[in-house]
């Protein structure tokens, strides 16, 4: 673990396993982009604490909390008042630019971006990838019943199929570039943004995030 940038006076950490330091193809995980989504960071920590052996032998690049100010204050935005998930394309941003320099040029096996949604009625996945069939349905089934699946037909104006959003094309009118889209542009073959409902029980949300990471790594990258 090392500091790759600072958000004001707070350090931002990246965890790079031995294989990832050798630039072997890596699994990418991140949390804490939005500070009012605590179960994402909590689930990532819970998963890591129970997978120390896996972290020692496999290739991972992990950003455990990209917005510490927001997490401390229970706010979506960072200490500057910015929504980081609209700034990942900005190479001169003190956080996203430094993040980009860490990620660009790497070969990634999968990208897992962990989030929460205060409007959600259950867990759901936003999936980006060039493969024909979505992988997220199998992942949601493997997560079990810690939380229900959000079965709404539309979420944030997007068509949804049993908890999975899989757009045919990237909208041209986005207000800024989120982390998952930039990972997709950088060549990550499968990028999954996982959302748990932030108004539900915290322990259940953390457990669902942990289960999602386990299931997603196994289903998409064969890492278990």
């Amino acid at each position: 673990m090392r500091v790759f940038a600072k958000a004001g006076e707070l350090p931002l950490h990246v965890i790079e396993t031995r294989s990832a330091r050798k630039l072997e193809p890596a699994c990418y995980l991140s949390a804490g982009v939005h500070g009012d989504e605590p179960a994402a960071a909590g689930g990532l920590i819970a998963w890591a604490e129970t997978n120390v052996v896996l972290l020692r032998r496999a290739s991972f690049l992990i950003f455990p909390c990209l917005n510490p100010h927001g997490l401390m204050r229970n706010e979506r935005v960072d200490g500057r008042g910015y929504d980081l998930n609209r700034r990942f394309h900005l190479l001169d941003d003190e956080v996203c630019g430094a993040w980009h320099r860490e990620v660009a040029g790497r070969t990634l096996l999968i990208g897992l971006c962990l989030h929460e949604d205060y409007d959600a009625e259950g867990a759901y996945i936003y999936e980006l990838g060039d493969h024909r069939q979505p992988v997220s349905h199998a992942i949601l089934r493997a997560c079990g019943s810690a939380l229900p699946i959000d079965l709404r037909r539309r979420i944030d104006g997007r068509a949804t199929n049993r908890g999975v959003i899989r757009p045919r094309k990237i909208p041209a009118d986005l207000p800024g570039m989120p982390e998952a889209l930039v990972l997709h542009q950088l060549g990550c073959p499968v990028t999954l943004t996982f959302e748990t409902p932030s108004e539900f029980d915290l322990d259940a949300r953390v457990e669902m995030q942990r289960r999602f990471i386990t299931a997603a790594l196994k289903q998409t990258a064969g890492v278990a």
Side-chain angles (χ1 to χ4, degrees), residues 37 83 95 113 130:
E37 301 172 6
D83 182 343
V95 175
C113 305
D130 297 327

Side-chain angles (χ1 to χ4, degrees), residues 77 113 119 125 166 188:
V77 297
C113 305
D119 285 327
I125 300 174
R166 194 165 186 261
C188 187

Side-chain angles (χ1 to χ4, degrees), residues 119-213:
D119 285 327
E121 298 176 4
Y124 66 91
I125 300 174
Y126 187 104
E127 177 177 335
L128 291 172
D130 297 327
H131 47 289
R132 287 191 172 187
Q133 297 298 323
V135 299
S136 294
H137 291 300
I139 293 170
L140 287 175
R141 287 194 297 270
C143 286
S145 58
L147 285 175
I149 305 305
D150 194 329
L151 298 178
R152 289 177 294 167
R153 294 193 174 184
R154 297 192 73 83
I155 296 176
D156 290 339
R158 302 182 180 94
T160 309
N161 179 8
R162 293 174 293 139
V164 177
I165 302 170
R166 194 165 186 261
R168 295 182 179 272
K169 61 180 180 179
I170 307 302
D173 57 348
L174 290 173
M177 289 295 287
E179 176 186 23
L181 281 179
V182 175
L183 287 171
H184 180 68
Q185 290 180 337
L186 291 173
C188 187
V190 183
T191 303
L192 305 177
T193 301
F194 186 57
E195 304 270 2
T196 46
S198 62
E199 301 307 298
F200 285 48
D201 177 76
L202 177 60
D203 289 341
R205 287 150 45 204
V206 168
E207 174 62 14
M208 194 68 166
Q209 293 276 352
R210 186 192 69 79
R211 293 184 187 186
F212 165 75
I213 297 170

Side-chain angles (χ1 to χ4, degrees), residues 4-73:
F4 76 95
K6 283 193 172 183
E9 77 282 4
L10 295 180
L12 299 177
H13 293 91
V14 60
I15 299 167
E16 189 180 29
T17 64
R18 184 178 295 109
S19 297
R21 288 200 302 271
K22 297 177 182 177
L23 296 183
E24 294 182 13
C27 299
Y28 173 98
L29 291 81
S30 80
V33 169
H34 293 141
D36 58 351
E37 301 172 6
L44 178 53
I45 291 170
W47 171 84
E49 288 178 337
T50 57
N51 285 275
V52 174
V53 173
L54 178 61
L55 287 167
R56 285 174 176 161
R57 68 172 172 81
S59 183
F60 285 95
L61 187 69
I62 301 174
F63 295 86
C65 183
L66 286 165
N67 179 10
H69 280 102
L71 190 63
M72 293 165 63
R73 299 171 182 173

